[in-house]
Amino acid sequence: MKIIIAGAGEVGFHLAKLLSYESQDITLIDTKKESLAYADSHLDIRVLRGDATSIEVMTDAKVQTSDLVIGVTSSETTNITLCMLAKQLGSKRTIARISNTEFIENKDAIKFSELGIDELISPEELAATEIQLLLNKSAFNDTYEFEEGKLIMIGVSLEKTAPFVGKMVKEAAKIFPELHFMPIALQRLGTQYTVIPRGDTIFKEGDKVYFITVKEGVDELYKLTGKKKLEIKNVMILGGSKVGSKAARDLCAKHFNVKLIEKDKEKAFDLADELPNALVINGDGRNVELLEEESLESMDAFIAVTGNSETNIMSCLVAKSKHIRKTIALVENMDYFQLSHSIGIDSLINKKLLAANHIFRHIRKGEVVALMRLNNLNAEILEFIVKPDSRVTGNVIRELDFPKAATIGGVVRNGEGIIALGGFEIKAGDRVVVCCLPEVIPVIERLFL
C-alpha cells in the first residue's frame, strides 16, 4: 500500500516505524527538519519537508495515487484540512487525528465522510476508554471488547494458585469442559518470547496469558486465575490532561467517586467548572503527604496520566505501597511495558499504541473490522468479516490449513459470541477473531480475502 503520514511526532513516527517493518510504501511529511532527519536515518521510508496542506507538497508525495492518508500532526485543523484536500486529489482513504472529542461524539450529525474524512481518531479518547475498560475488569491487566462485548479479550498473570498451572491446554480443557474461554497468546515470566498456545502447551506460574471469552466466561476466569472481582468505586486521577479530564468525565457519568489532582492552579479551577461531579484538588501529586491527606488509602483505583511517564510510574508505585487495588499509568516510552509487572504496576497504557491499533485495521487485507497489538507481546489480534468466497467459508476449523503461529479465539455469529473449537464450521458473515504472530499475517489475510 502507498501510505502518506503527515506529522513526524510520536504517533506519526511510531506508525511509520511499524508500517516500514511491513515493507509498506511510506511517505512521512513534517515541517520540522530534525524530526524528519531522525526518521530518515532510522526508517526505510521517504521523508518530505513542508506543509502537509500544501497542494504542491501533496502532489510531490503523489497523493493522487495513495491508498491511505493519515493526518497525525499536533494541529487537528491541519489534519482535517489535509484529509479533505487529499480525498479531493484522489486518495482512496483518509484518517484524521483530532483532540476535540465532540467531533467523534457528533460524527453522525456532521457526516465527516461527505467532507472527505473517512475516520476520526482521538488518542486521548482511546486512552480514556481503555481506562474505563480496565476498571470494569479490575483484576485483569489488559482488556478489549469485540462487537460491544460479544467477545472479550482479557490478559492476566497466572498465580501459583490458579487451578490449571502445570497442566497442558488440552488437559485444562478436559478438566473444565463447561468453561467459555480460549487461550490465544502467552508470554513466559522473564522472557520476551510470545507463544501461541497449542494443545500441548503447559501453563506455568507467572505466565502472562491472553484469553478470549464471552460475557459469562469473565466470572469463570476470575475463579480459575485466582483473581478476585474487585468493586471499584473510589478513583483518584493524577493529572488534568486531556486524558485525565476525559477519563474523569466518563467515570463520573458512570457514578464513580472521582478525585482529580492537578498542580496548575488556573487549570485546576477550569477543571472544577468542567467537572461538577468530581472533586478537583490543586496540588502536586508527587507529594506523598498530599496524597495521604487526600485519603489515598481509601481509594480503590489510582490512575496517573500526567505528561511525564516517570512521574506516572513513581506515583503508581506509591499508590501500590498503600495497597491500592488497581493502578494504571500512562506512559510514552514503549520500553516501559516490559517493566510494568516486574515493578508491580497493574496496567500501562500508551496513546501511540492505541492509535496504531486503531489505524492498522485499515492497512490489513481482507475485511478487518478490529485490530489490536498486545502490550509487550509480538502478536496481533484481528477481527475479520468472512466473505462468501473466502477460503475459510464452509470449512471446519480443524480442517483449515491454519499456521501454527495463529489461532482462532472466537466467532461472533448473529450477534452471539461463540468460543469456536476444532469442529466449528465457519460461515459467510461470521466475525472471526484471530490471534497470530507477525510472520504469518500474510497467510491469514489470504485465508480471509
Side-chain angles (χ1 to χ4, degrees):
M1 289 179 73
K2 179 171 178 51
I3 301 169
I4 298 172
I5 302 172
E10 290 180 332
V11 175
F13 179 81
H14 181 64
L15 269 173
K17 181 171 73 172
L18 293 177
L19 293 169
S20 68
Y21 290 162
E22 303 197 353
S23 303
Q24 305 284 1
D25 181 2
I26 310 296
T27 300
L28 182 63
I29 304 173
D30 201 286
T31 55
K32 295 178 182 176
K33 185 178 181 180
E34 303 80 26
S35 300
L36 290 177
Y38 185 81
D40 192 27
S41 60
H42 286 75
L43 305 177
D44 183 20
I45 61 173
R46 181 191 178 202
V47 299
L48 194 58
R49 188 181 177 192
D51 179 358
T53 60
S54 161
I55 304 296
E56 183 181 349
V57 170
M58 283 195 281
T59 303
D60 192 6
K62 296 182 172 56
V63 70
Q64 64 274 12
T65 59
S66 65
D67 297 295
L68 178 64
V69 170
I70 306 169
V72 286
T73 73
S74 57
S75 167
E76 69 179 18
T77 304
T78 298
N79 298 335
I80 289 171
T81 304
L82 162 72
C83 289
M84 292 169 65
L85 293 173
K87 204 59 178 282
Q88 291 289 320
L89 291 170
S91 179
K92 293 177 184 175
R93 192 163 186 82
T94 61
I95 301 173
R97 172 189 178 177
I98 52 106
S99 55
N100 185 351
T101 55
E102 281 187 330
F103 289 151
I104 292 178
E105 291 161 5
N106 296 283
K107 62 182 179 181
D108 292 333
I110 299 175
K111 294 184 173 59
F112 282 94
S113 59
E114 293 182 6
L115 300 175
I117 305 168
D118 296 305
E119 186 88 14
L120 293 170
I121 62 161
S122 165
E124 293 76 19
E125 186 193 45
L126 292 171
T129 302
E130 181 78 358
I131 287 169
Q132 196 165 323
L133 272 173
L134 288 168
L135 292 183
N136 289 339
K137 310 287 186 302
S138 55
F140 301 118
N141 306 123
D142 300 287
T143 62
Y144 188 84
E145 293 187 353
F146 296 91
E147 302 304 312
E148 299 179 340
K150 300 295 188 302
L151 288 175
I152 301 167
M153 187 218 71
I154 286 171
V156 63
S157 296
L158 295 185
E159 297 179 1
K160 192 174 183 178
T161 54
F164 47 72
V165 166
K167 294 181 173 61
M168 290 189 289
V169 171
K170 59 186 177 185
E171 290 174 336
K174 288 179 181 177
I175 297 169
F176 310 108
E178 75 284 359
L179 299 187
H180 306 87
F181 63 83
M182 172 78 73
I184 56 168
L186 67 82
Q187 184 182 60
R188 300 294 187 197
L189 181 65
T191 74
Q192 294 182 33
Y193 182 64
T194 303
V195 177
I196 301 297
R198 315 309 300 180
D200 57 356
T201 303
I202 298 174
F203 293 111
K204 296 181 180 180
E205 180 187 355
D207 282 352
K208 185 173 183 181
V209 187
Y210 286 85
F211 296 94
I212 292 288
T213 185
V214 291
K215 282 185 178 178
E216 56 267 31
V218 174
D219 288 336
E220 295 169 352
L221 276 173
Y222 273 113
K223 296 173 188 173
L224 285 173
T225 55
K227 303 291 182 181
K228 293 181 180 178
K229 190 171 185 179
L230 306 174
E231 184 66 33
I232 301 290
K233 196 66 182 173
N234 301 314
V235 180
M236 183 177 284
I237 299 174
L238 177 62
S241 60
K242 288 177 182 176
V243 175
S245 59
K246 180 72 167 68
R249 188 178 298 110
D250 291 348
L251 293 173
C252 285
K254 297 284 186 179
H255 307 295
F256 286 83
N257 299 322
V258 178
K259 281 187 181 181
L260 190 151
I261 300 175
E262 169 55 48
K263 68 176 181 178
D264 184 275
K265 189 173 183 179
E266 186 176 344
K267 193 172 184 179
F269 276 104
D270 289 341
L271 286 168
D273 291 335
E274 293 173 23
L275 304 167
N277 296 320
L279 176 60
V280 180
I281 299 151
N282 175 222
D284 190 340
R286 295 172 296 183
N287 186 329
V288 178
E289 288 184 6
L290 172 68
L291 295 177
E292 290 176 344
E293 286 173 10
E294 297 302 332
S295 305
L296 175 62
E297 293 92 341
S298 67
M299 294 294 119
D300 301 313
F302 183 87
I303 304 164
V305 287
T306 73
N308 186 292
S309 300
E310 289 75 18
T311 295
N312 296 339
I313 288 172
M314 293 307 297
S315 57
C316 278
L317 290 177
V318 170
K320 208 65 185 174
S321 72
K322 302 297 181 182
H323 307 293
I324 304 303
R325 299 173 186 175
K326 185 75 174 180
T327 53
I328 302 171
L330 178 71
V331 297
E332 294 303 320
N333 190 331
M334 300 288 287
D335 296 332
Y336 286 150
F337 277 108
Q338 299 173 16
L339 303 174
S340 61
H341 301 295
S342 61
I343 61 178
I345 296 174
D346 295 310
S347 300
L348 297 181
I349 55 175
N350 179 281
K351 291 188 292 183
K352 292 180 288 187
L353 189 63
L354 292 169
N357 285 343
H358 202 74
I359 291 170
F360 250 69
R361 63 192 174 99
H362 298 286
I363 291 138
R364 294 287 172 232
K365 296 173 184 175
E367 195 164 350
V368 179
V369 290
L371 179 148
M372 72 170 301
R373 286 180 167 236
L374 298 176
N375 291 347
N376 199 31
L377 266 73
N378 187 33
E380 285 189 16
I381 300 180
L382 304 99
E383 180 187 357
F384 291 94
I385 296 178
V386 179
K387 299 175 181 177
D389 55 351
S390 297
R391 293 187 188 181
V392 296
T393 307
N395 285 304
V396 173
I397 290 176
R398 71 165 66 94
E399 295 174 359
L400 289 171
D401 188 18
F402 223 67
K404 286 191 174 181
T407 186
I408 292 177
V411 175
V412 177
R413 177 180 291 171
N414 300 324
E416 180 187 356
I418 303 166
I419 301 303
L421 302 178
F424 185 86
E425 182 183 335
I426 298 173
K427 296 181 179 179
D430 285 349
R431 291 172 178 254
V432 179
V433 175
V434 178
C435 181
C436 60
L437 302 184
E439 59 264 26
V440 299
I441 286 174
V443 179
I444 300 299
E445 289 175 337
R446 286 195 292 273
L447 287 171
F448 286 91
L449 275 176

